[in-house]
Amino acid sequence: MKTDAFIGLGSNLKEPAAQLARAVAELAALPKTTLVAQSPFYTSSPVGPQDQPDFVNGAAWISTELGPHALLDQLQAIEQAHGRERLQHWGPRTLDLDLLIFGNHKLDDERLTVPHRELHNRDFALQPLLDLKPDLTLPGGAEIAILRAQCPDNRLRKLPPPDYP
């Protein structure tokens, strides 16, 4: 049985937009998974330490037969392949892949909280989700559009589409 999952994408090191584009391609290649859509990319101020470059963010919508923890393992493997180092909480990173929503599931264990516990505070995650599915709701019925309207501003700016030859 397939589940719709929404993955938040972020990077602020080593050509961030290119990091995200490669990550989307890698998500599309995951076993038992289909890429449904990807959002436009945005720039935003960093959350946490401000002495780092702005982030490029986006989201991907996938349909997967993987369970939430198996999907998390795959996301972390992609991060590692991109050279992700966890040196500082909310610090700079080559790639951050967050499992934001996994169907109608609610999970909270030592490895994974879904929906993502900070989603309501992150315009750089909410806006790409709205771009993908404007009527998206969280398990329990909270509307992403309403959360976005109430979200603090993080200087979100939409990037133009990449100029491919």
Side-chain angles (χ1 to χ4, degrees), residues 75-97:
L75 298 179
Q76 290 176 341
I78 293 170
E79 288 177 341
Q80 294 298 17
H82 283 250
R84 169 79 188 260
E85 295 180 319
R86 297 175 190 274
L87 302 176
Q88 178 184 24
H89 185 61
W90 289 337
R93 62 205 77 155
T94 53
L95 184 62
D96 187 23
L97 299 176

Side-chain angles (χ1 to χ4, degrees), residues 14-51:
K14 299 183 180 178
E15 300 182 38
Q19 294 279 359
L20 298 191
R22 284 193 303 276
V24 169
E26 292 169 273
L27 290 171
L30 289 178
K32 302 179 182 180
T33 301
T34 303
L35 177 67
V36 177
Q38 79 174 72
S39 75
F41 294 157
Y42 292 83
T43 62
S44 64
S45 299
V47 171
Q50 296 296 301
D51 60 341

Side-chain angles (χ1 to χ4, degrees), residues 9 20 39 49 62 67 69 76 92 96 98 123 138 148 158 160 165:
L9 314 164
L20 298 191
S39 75
I62 62 172
H69 290 92
Q76 290 176 341
D96 187 23
D98 288 330
D123 59 353
L138 295 178
R148 173 65 178 103
K158 189 175 186 178

Side-chain angles (χ1 to χ4, degrees), residues 7-11 20 39-42 56-60 100 124-125 128-129 132:
I7 313 300
L9 314 164
S11 174
L20 298 191
S39 75
F41 294 157
Y42 292 83
V56 174
N57 296 98
L100 301 174
F124 56 84
L129 291 175
L132 291 171

